[in-house]
Amino acid sequence: MRLEQGTRIGDRYTLIGRLGSGGMADVWLAQDEMLNRRVALKFLHERFAQDAQFVHRFRREAEAAAGLQHANVVGVFDRGEADGRHWIAMEYVEGASLKELIARGLSVGESIELLRQVLSGAKFAHARGIVHRDLKPQNVLVDAEGRARVTDFGIARAGASEITATGSVLGTAQYLSPEQAQGLDVNATSDIYSVGVMLYEALTGRVPFDADSPVAVALKQVSERPRPPSELNPRVTPALDAVVLRALAKDPANRFQSADEFIRALDAAEADPSGGALRDTAAYAPVAPGAEEAAREGERADGSRRWMTRRRVAILAALALIGAGVAAWALTRPNEVSVPLVLEDTVSEARAKLAAAGFEVEQTLAPTCSPENTVTEQDPRARSKAEEGSVVTLTVSLGLAVKVPPTRNRPLADARKRLDDADLLVQTRQKPSREINPGRVIQSQPPGGEEVECQSTVSLIVSKGPNLITLPDVVGDSQEVAASELERLGFVVDVDTRDEDAPEGTVIGQDPGPGSELLRGDRVTIIVSTGAGSVIVPSVEGQPRDAAATALSGRGLNVNIVEQKTNEESEDDRVLDQAPDAGTRVLEGDTVTIFVGVFEETIEIEPPAETTTEEQPP
């Protein structure tokens, strides 16, 4: 398959551009269309895809690395195969590699801080039984916030080596521990050595050992004593010298035994630069046996001869060590034989073949689509090498049935592949979901774990996202209007009542509140007033004073009487007007004012008669 911009991988990832290439893989930047994020896709080189055991290791270690969720470890999300190209989807970290930062120059404090973060990531992996085996500055990414992230956990374990004489040596020569260089078993202390090399390089700008070829570098790892970092960088304190040299001890037993111990030593070196008891740590990095004596002999010769002698003796001592290790391994290793192919054989045939080849047999039963009592899987794989007398585990079919694999919360493409591998047919339908991300499986029907016949159809219900609807404000509406509006939007309406003063049947509250985003089919509760605690003012106009007052008091209302003169005798002591008006809803205990007529008879007074005054004579 040709990798280029725009290529679609796994029905999910679209390639954007190439980030780089290494000895075992190409790395591409890609867009995860399902979760709308950028990821780094690492493609195993095609030449490794032909090695079944290599691919098996690659997959197994990728699965192990996927379980490492830590702030200082690059996360692994997914893996798959596209036209024979095996790939792993990883977290994309935008920043520089530690190698690039070292080239630019780091202070002592910056070096310690970054390597302390690397140790934190290694500590997390070691606690879960994973040894990196290829820790180097190129495998550490530093983001814009200064956070160091270790990448290729597990992948390095399955990767190609720069020195592969026996096929068991993995790693990059400049960062190999002495035991790795000799092809011996490694553990967490081998990663400690590699971190020591990285710290040395960060502090000084160069690795402790370098040469023209990986084999020459490996010989130095085994035989030569590193120069203290302070000889190359005067800012390195005696305490820090001691810490670095202890991490670079040739004997794993003399190194820090855990990443946590390494971190504590770095803390102590920063707290006390003089180092105190840590100064003697240089003794933890001895050269190979015999090399010291030869070196002393060389010191008695002239300078040129001394240099040549020490170099020659160191190389010879290293070769002797490696030769001894290889010889011991050759003499003590168990006899390895090829595992015969027994797939699709009956269990009795398979047992006979394996017994004839010198293997013990264990078997497990599983419902599969293969005929009953036939072998469907074997471990180790056919034609691989295994120790004579070791156990080969067979998976034996129970007959034409299969268990539905679990698919909940898995990407649709992954769920399809699992069902295809189980010889099941697939159909899909979408459904809104707030809990499950779009493109992932909500559930399967039949559910995972249920036994079904081969070629049965499994329905995958796939999330299409929340599909949320905004809840309107129905407070103040009548119950009928509010319920109708909410049901039209697809909600299920529940009604609660409460004794309130609002008119009966009026919505006085809702849960959830207005503006909430819900799925169609979610329940909404409206709270409706019973009207209890409110009074409708009766009409008392025209009634006698006492009768009106009694009527209002009987409704729980207070009465305020205002007398008003009237010249109509029929209005005397009767209610002429009221406030509030009749029909108004008020609270119990409110006051109603009535205006009562008081009759006053009007008396007409006649004007006095006009008189004429006669003029009297004088």
Side-chain angles (χ1 to χ4, degrees):
M1 181 179 93
R2 181 180 176 83
L3 300 180
E4 56 187 19
Q5 184 178 358
T7 301
R8 184 87 167 176
I9 303 296
D11 294 328
R12 176 171 177 175
Y13 306 103
T14 302
L15 298 186
I16 297 174
R18 184 168 172 166
L19 295 175
S21 181
M24 62 170 285
D26 294 320
V27 183
W28 283 73
L29 176 64
Q31 179 71 17
D32 182 348
E33 305 294 351
M34 188 175 294
L35 297 181
N36 193 27
R37 64 181 177 186
R38 291 193 166 186
V39 299
L41 286 189
K42 178 160 287 194
F43 292 88
L44 187 65
H45 286 323
E46 290 180 310
R47 64 179 180 274
F48 297 122
Q50 309 306 317
D51 185 338
Q53 284 198 350
F54 189 97
V55 172
H56 177 68
R57 268 205 316 257
F58 182 80
R59 288 175 174 172
R60 185 183 66 232
E61 299 302 337
E63 289 171 0
L68 296 180
Q69 303 297 320
H70 188 269
N72 298 116
V73 176
V74 173
V76 174
F77 302 138
D78 195 5
R79 69 169 177 82
E81 179 184 353
D83 291 341
R85 295 295 296 271
H86 298 272
W87 54 265
I88 293 175
M90 311 169 69
E91 183 181 2
Y92 172 57
V93 180
E94 191 168 0
S97 70
L98 179 56
K99 189 74 173 178
E100 292 170 318
L101 295 182
I102 291 173
R104 298 175 194 171
L106 293 171
S107 68
V108 171
E110 289 169 339
S111 300
I112 293 174
E113 175 55 30
L114 290 173
L115 270 300
R116 187 186 279 118
Q117 294 182 51
V118 172
L119 286 166
S120 180
K123 171 186 172 183
F124 184 80
H126 293 165
R128 284 148 184 81
I130 297 178
V131 179
H132 194 293
R133 301 193 184 199
D134 194 21
L135 282 173
K136 55 187 177 182
Q138 295 91 325
N139 283 339
V140 177
L141 303 176
V142 182
D143 63 22
E145 298 176 355
R147 183 166 51 145
R149 317 284 288 281
V150 182
T151 187
D152 280 4
F153 260 110
I155 299 170
R157 197 173 195 177
S161 169
E162 290 184 24
I163 49 173
T164 56
T166 67
S168 61
V169 181
L170 301 177
T172 304
Q174 284 82 356
Y175 306 92
L176 280 179
S177 65
E179 59 270 22
Q180 278 178 287
Q182 298 174 75
L184 302 177
D185 289 340
V186 301
N187 56 27
T189 58
S190 298
D191 280 352
I192 296 296
Y193 185 94
S194 299
V195 176
V197 176
M198 294 163 65
L199 179 56
Y200 190 105
E201 185 180 5
L203 293 169
T204 67
R206 66 179 72 175
V207 292
F209 307 111
D210 207 354
D212 294 335
S213 70
V215 172
V217 175
L219 293 176
K220 290 186 176 185
Q221 299 282 22
V222 172
S223 62
E224 289 193 11
R225 183 200 303 272
R227 294 174 64 186
S230 58
E231 291 186 11
L232 302 172
N233 181 0
R235 293 185 179 86
V236 176
T237 65
L240 192 53
D241 256 350
V243 172
V244 175
L245 292 175
R246 182 171 180 183
L248 296 178
K250 305 299 182 185
D251 185 346
N254 289 335
R255 296 176 205 145
F256 301 110
Q257 296 302 295
S258 68
D260 214 20
E261 188 179 346
F262 199 159
I263 292 171
R264 289 197 299 270
L266 287 173
D267 294 342
E270 284 193 308
D272 179 13
S274 66
L278 290 176
R279 276 185 209 159
D280 295 331
T281 306
Y284 286 119
V287 298
E292 291 283 1
E293 184 179 350
R296 283 195 297 271
E297 292 177 2
E299 288 174 2
R300 289 190 291 268
D302 60 79
S304 174
R305 183 179 175 185
R306 180 169 59 246
W307 181 84
M308 291 297 295
T309 300
R310 287 163 65 180
R311 177 178 175 84
R312 188 179 297 113
V313 169
I315 293 175
L316 289 174
L319 288 172
L321 268 182
I322 295 175
V326 171
W329 173 78
L331 291 172
T332 60
R333 66 173 178 169
N335 186 31
E336 289 192 342
V337 294
S338 178
V339 179
L341 174 65
V342 294
L343 293 178
E344 300 183 3
D345 288 353
T346 65
V347 67
S348 58
E349 292 170 341
R351 281 183 171 275
K353 284 184 182 179
L354 292 168
F359 293 103
E360 299 291 330
V361 178
E362 291 181 359
Q363 70 181 58
T364 60
L365 301 176
T368 71
C369 293
S370 298
E372 187 175 2
N373 287 326
T374 58
V375 177
T376 59
E377 295 180 31
Q378 66 178 89
D379 184 25
R381 291 187 172 194
R383 302 184 184 89
S384 62
K385 294 290 186 180
E387 296 176 14
E388 187 175 3
S390 62
V391 175
V392 175
T393 302
L394 305 179
T395 302
V396 180
S397 174
L398 286 172
L400 298 177
V402 66
K403 282 187 178 180
V404 177
T407 55
R408 176 175 167 76
N409 206 19
R410 291 188 175 276
L412 177 58
D414 180 47
R416 279 184 179 278
K417 186 176 185 305
R418 285 171 171 260
L419 294 172
D420 288 342
D421 291 345
D423 208 7
L424 295 170
L425 305 178
V426 183
Q427 66 179 22
T428 62
R429 62 186 179 89
Q430 290 190 320
K431 179 181 177 182
S433 173
R434 189 164 30 210
E435 292 78 20
I436 304 296
N437 289 331
R440 290 182 172 260
V441 176
I442 300 172
Q443 67 182 80
S444 67
Q445 296 173 344
E450 186 169 313
E451 198 169 295
V452 297
E453 293 183 0
C454 292
Q455 293 293 307
S456 296
T457 298
V458 176
S459 178
L460 296 179
I461 302 172
V462 183
S463 170
K464 64 176 183 179
N467 194 23
L468 299 176
I469 303 170
T470 302
L471 190 64
D473 186 355
V474 296
V475 174
D477 294 345
S478 68
Q479 176 181 335
E480 293 76 13
V481 171
S484 176
E485 171 65 10
L486 295 173
E487 288 170 351
R488 183 186 66 79
L489 293 173
F491 300 119
V492 177
V493 179
D494 295 327
V495 179
D496 283 348
T497 58
R498 186 183 299 166
D499 292 341
E500 293 287 349
D501 300 324
E504 182 180 0
T506 301
V507 177
I508 56 175
Q510 64 184 80
D511 184 28
S516 301
E517 293 188 329
L518 306 177
L519 291 173
R520 186 180 299 274
D522 281 353
R523 309 187 80 88
V524 177
T525 300
I526 57 174
I527 304 164
V528 178
S529 173
T530 62
S534 62
V535 179
I536 296 176
V537 178
S539 174
V540 294
E541 290 186 25
Q543 294 183 17
R545 178 201 306 247
D546 293 340
T550 300
L552 294 171
S553 299
R555 297 287 183 93
L557 300 170
N558 294 323
V559 181
N560 177 39
I561 300 175
V562 176
E563 293 184 343
Q564 203 170 47
K565 292 180 181 181
T566 177
N567 57 7
E568 295 290 339
E569 189 173 0
S570 61
E571 294 177 345
D572 185 44
D573 207 38
R574 290 185 177 273
V575 177
L576 304 178
D577 199 1
Q578 67 182 73
D581 293 336
T584 303
R585 185 179 291 273
V586 297
L587 296 179
E588 187 174 339
D590 280 358
T591 298
V592 176
T593 300
I594 57 175
F595 300 90
V596 178
V598 178
F599 174 69
E600 286 188 6
E601 184 177 359
T602 301
I603 300 175
E604 294 183 1
I605 301 175
E606 294 183 1
E610 296 182 3
T611 57
T612 304
T613 303
E614 293 183 0
E615 185 178 346
Q616 296 295 327

